[in-house]
Amino acid sequence: RHQELVLGIRQILLLGVSASLLSATAFASEESTLPTITAHANQDATTSYTVKKSKNATKLNLALKDTPQSVSVITSQQIEDANLTSVEDVLNQTPGVSMQRYGAKGAVGNGGEYTFYYARGKQIINYQVDGVITSPSLDSKNGSVISSLDPAIYENVTVVKGATGLTNGAGYPSASVNFNRKHANSTEPKGEIKVSAGSWNTYRTQIDVQDKLNQSGSVRGRAVAVYGQGDSWQDWGDNRSATLYGIVDADLSDQTTVSVGGMLSRNKITGQGVHGLDMYGADGSINPHSPSFNSSARWAYSKVDTLNAFAQLKHQFDNGWNLQANYSYTEQDIKSLFGVIGVASANYTTNVASLAASQNNFNPKEHSLDVSASGPYRLFGREHELMLGASYQYVRNNNDNFNGCDSSTDTCTVNLSTWNGHVAVPSGATRVIGVNNKEYQQVGYYAATRLNPTDRLHVILGSRLSDYTYRSHVTTTTKTTDSRMSAYAKLTPYAGITYDISPNVTAYASYTNIFMPQTYRDYNYNLLDPQEGNNYEAGLKAAFLDNRINLSAAYFQSKMDNVANSGTVYGSNIPSSLTGVVSSTSSYYSAID
């Protein structure tokens, strides 16, 4: 249970922590008696490990037991209690989500971060912030980085498992991760300062303050500041991270609220990188080095700067309908220089390993917009719910291609027995040889209704209409490659049913769908149809103590259709219409279920 310190939090919020400390010092020098410090316990919804209702699965505001999909929620209280200091930590704690990471935490390599999350047998590539799609839906690395973001600015992280095409459009039938930001919801001064220390010189300070900004409390502000640093458990390497988040919530009327805010963050690691030595060397012998052995050069680094600005409008109509509009702009400056030994080869008998090195410089910029309205309507003498909405997402990411370690000009091998991380930066690692530019756009229109035939039986029906385009332009010293994926007027249906066995127990079943365009081509050089992801799920959910305890059990089946089969080489069977377009070594694909 957290204690509040009511001692001029308004000054902390408006003038900053340092100014408040200076003011307190000056005041103490003038007065022999310090002002009274009032401490009292505060227990509200933020102390819970769950949420009473969520819009993340269907954008209908439903209790978790009334949502016909598996939903896991990690709240800010759980994040705090478990000392989860990164998005990677949060997702690694989420039931049903598994993680695979190459190299050090926060490291960036070719194409972006090397941390991947999976659910129900497929990579998670769908992410939202406050219900707004973020990060392009692309397989593998997409050039953006989310794992190192600090969860201190989120009220909760909600993971909806299965296909989520209704709210996300393109993706896989794995899961959707939804980050819900903290808001200024208090008209009384509240503040919290946390300081922690741990192994390997790990230190972290977190400040979270909020208060009203005018006399009536119709305008409120909240600020979160976090700084952390630490050394690596390996022989060398360290990390630094800082986050500054602010939001202002203003009640324009009893029915209308506007929120504006922003976030700045920097995450940097040095002497660490992606990849490492394999368990077995090229000679078949086992890795003889200790776990603390660092295969990265001391000059290796990854730096991620993130800027996010956002705005939200909420309006409640007299007839019970609600309108919500969200806009978000995100820009990242991602730079890294990795140098790692043993990736190409390592011989533990002769103690010789390869040195791989390259530079990265990404600058993804994203605009996202989501507008939705929901409310009740009457049909056949009963009240039902309807939701309508539209979303837009545009991402552009430009990056130079770098040569890497060049054996003709650089020394690209090292002696493992004398390796201490000190090695010259290969000249080829910073030599630009081309570009890797990507552009991604998705537009969607969606609708869903919750029909209530009886007080116990509820049926959710919905669908989304999406247009999706992705283009990439890649050049090297030897070739230029242009790729395109697209899908227009793609329909993704949604169907779910729930039945209240008792006031606390609900049985449910659902069918959800999602799609993913692909660049593979068939024998006639036509793009294969988008992959189709289908999720079938049934289970039981229960809620007790005013929805503060939620239990669920589910059986599901995930299915992928139109998946590209292994490629077949044309050889001498090139169609006359493709002469000069493909070569004898080119491959074509077929779609399988």
Side-chain angles (χ1 to χ4, degrees):
R1 182 174 294 184
H2 301 282
Q3 305 298 315
E4 293 185 345
L5 299 179
V6 185
L7 37 75
I9 297 300
R10 292 188 181 91
Q11 288 85 347
I12 294 178
L13 181 62
L14 297 175
L15 303 179
V17 176
S18 60
S20 295
L21 293 175
L22 291 173
S23 298
T25 303
F27 184 81
S29 66
E30 297 174 0
E31 300 289 340
S32 59
T33 303
L34 292 175
T36 301
I37 297 177
T38 304
H40 63 276
N42 177 47
Q43 183 174 5
D44 54 25
T46 61
T47 63
S48 175
Y49 270 33
T50 186
V51 294
K52 292 185 177 181
K53 290 189 175 183
S54 174
K55 290 185 176 181
N56 295 129
T58 62
K59 290 193 179 289
L60 293 167
N61 198 25
L62 303 174
L64 296 186
K65 79 179 188 69
D66 296 329
T67 303
Q69 281 182 273
S70 294
V71 181
S72 295
V73 182
I74 307 294
T75 65
S76 59
Q77 186 65 51
Q78 190 172 351
I79 290 171
E80 182 176 323
D81 291 347
N83 195 32
L84 308 179
T85 59
S86 68
V87 167
E88 177 182 310
D89 293 341
V90 174
L91 294 180
N92 204 27
Q93 291 275 331
T94 305
V97 175
S98 61
M99 182 190 77
Q100 185 178 48
R101 170 158 50 84
Y102 297 88
K105 183 177 180 178
V108 176
N110 288 332
E113 67 177 351
Y114 277 49
T115 304
F116 307 95
Y117 306 98
Y118 298 88
R120 301 194 171 181
K122 196 66 180 175
Q123 186 183 344
I124 300 174
I125 58 175
N126 293 116
Y127 298 91
Q128 294 187 356
V129 179
D130 284 345
V132 181
I133 300 173
T134 188
S135 185
S137 298
L138 300 171
D139 201 350
S140 189
K141 302 179 289 293
N142 56 37
S144 63
V145 176
I146 66 163
S147 296
S148 57
L149 295 180
D150 201 296
I153 68 173
Y154 301 121
E155 195 61 51
N156 63 71
V157 179
T158 303
V159 179
V160 181
K161 295 160 196 168
T164 57
L166 176 65
T167 56
N168 286 279
Y172 291 128
S174 52
S176 173
V177 181
N178 304 271
F179 304 97
N180 299 295
R181 296 185 183 97
K182 289 180 176 178
H183 282 261
N185 48 26
S186 176
T187 57
E188 297 296 329
K190 290 184 178 181
E192 178 182 73
I193 299 177
K194 294 175 56 183
V195 179
S196 62
S199 303
W200 300 297
N201 297 318
T202 299
Y203 303 98
R204 177 180 168 89
T205 301
Q206 177 178 321
I207 302 172
D208 186 345
V209 293
Q210 60 175 317
D211 193 10
K212 61 182 180 182
L213 300 180
N214 62 355
Q215 189 63 33
S216 66
S218 62
V219 181
R220 302 166 302 281
R222 187 169 189 171
V224 179
V226 185
Y227 175 78
Q229 67 179 49
D231 295 332
S232 172
W233 53 270
Q234 293 183 307
D235 290 333
W236 59 81
D238 57 58
N239 65 84
R240 302 286 187 274
S241 64
T243 298
L244 180 62
Y245 168 80
I247 187 170
V248 174
D249 293 291
D251 300 328
L252 302 184
S253 68
D254 293 338
Q255 297 173 299
T256 306
T257 300
V258 172
S259 305
V260 294
M263 185 269 291
L264 285 169
S265 73
R266 166 168 288 187
N267 293 272
K268 184 175 182 179
I269 65 172
T270 56
Q272 302 275 286
V274 294
H275 301 301
L277 289 177
D278 286 337
M279 179 63 73
Y280 296 95
D283 57 332
S285 60
I286 194 169
N287 187 333
H289 302 284
S290 67
S292 62
F293 182 89
N294 192 339
S295 57
S296 290
R298 294 179 184 262
W299 42 257
Y301 78 92
S302 297
K303 181 175 70 69
V304 180
D305 291 340
T306 303
L307 165 67
N308 174 233
F310 59 91
Q312 181 186 81
L313 169 68
K314 288 185 176 181
H315 180 76
Q316 183 173 356
F317 296 92
D318 293 332
N319 60 1
W321 274 69
N322 295 279
L323 173 68
Q324 180 169 326
N326 290 75
Y327 168 76
S328 178
Y329 171 77
T330 303
E331 180 176 346
Q332 290 188 307
D333 183 21
I334 306 171
K335 290 182 170 63
S336 75
L337 178 62
F338 74 84
V340 61
I341 62 174
V343 174
S345 66
N347 190 308
Y348 300 136
T349 300
T350 60
N351 276 326
V352 174
S354 62
L355 170 65
S358 184
Q359 186 171 323
N360 295 279
N361 187 5
F362 304 94
N363 188 222
K365 299 179 181 179
E366 176 181 46
H367 297 271
S368 298
L369 176 67
D370 188 275
V371 181
S372 63
S374 62
Y377 68 96
R378 296 194 66 83
L379 182 66
F380 302 124
R382 296 189 63 85
E383 187 173 275
H384 313 277
E385 300 157 66
L386 178 65
M387 180 276 299
L388 304 168
S391 65
Y392 170 79
Q393 180 190 23
Y394 174 81
V395 182
R396 184 171 182 84
N397 186 8
N398 294 335
N399 177 39
D400 288 331
N401 275 332
F402 293 86
N403 186 75
C405 193
D406 188 345
S407 58
S408 63
T409 58
D410 303 316
T411 301
C412 298
T413 59
V414 298
N415 188 330
L416 282 171
S417 61
T418 59
W419 171 252
N420 59 6
H422 291 292
V423 63
V425 178
S427 60
T430 57
R431 186 186 308 140
V432 177
I433 59 172
V435 298
N436 188 343
N437 299 334
K438 300 175 182 179
E439 188 178 43
Y440 169 92
Q441 181 174 281
Q442 184 175 200
V443 180
Y445 308 92
Y446 52 87
T449 183
R450 187 176 188 244
L451 303 172
N452 306 309
T454 71
D455 290 341
R456 291 189 172 190
L457 181 64
H458 311 278
V459 178
I460 299 177
L461 299 174
S463 188
R464 180 187 183 97
L465 188 68
S466 301
D467 288 343
Y468 173 110
T469 58
Y470 165 77
R471 300 179 182 88
S472 69
H473 176 70
V474 181
T475 65
T476 65
T477 54
T478 58
K479 65 178 181 178
T480 298
T481 304
D482 290 307
S483 300
R484 175 186 171 92
M485 294 191 297
S486 62
Y488 298 100
K490 187 64 180 176
L491 199 66
T492 51
Y494 184 102
I497 185 171
T498 63
Y499 181 78
D500 298 329
I501 299 174
S502 72
N504 300 106
V505 180
T506 298
Y508 75 93
S510 64
Y511 164 77
T512 55
N513 177 265
I514 201 165
F515 74 97
M516 188 66 207
Q518 51 190 335
T519 57
Y520 295 107
R521 296 178 180 271
D522 63 15
Y523 178 75
N524 295 313
Y525 208 65
N526 297 316
L527 285 172
L528 298 183
D529 290 336
Q531 298 180 33
E532 292 280 350
N534 302 290
N535 190 88
Y536 306 87
E537 184 172 332
L540 292 172
K541 292 188 177 184
F544 303 96
L545 299 179
D546 194 24
N547 290 347
R548 286 181 293 174
I549 296 179
N550 289 276
L551 308 175
S552 66
Y555 173 84
F556 66 88
Q557 182 184 53
S558 289
K559 186 172 183 288
M560 292 285 291
D561 292 336
N562 293 333
V563 179
N565 199 6
S566 298
T568 303
V569 177
Y570 278 102
S572 59
N573 299 319
I574 299 177
S576 57
S577 59
L578 297 181
T579 302
V581 178
V582 300
S583 67
S584 59
T585 59
S586 300
S587 298
Y588 61 91
Y589 299 81
S590 59
I592 59 173
D593 293 341

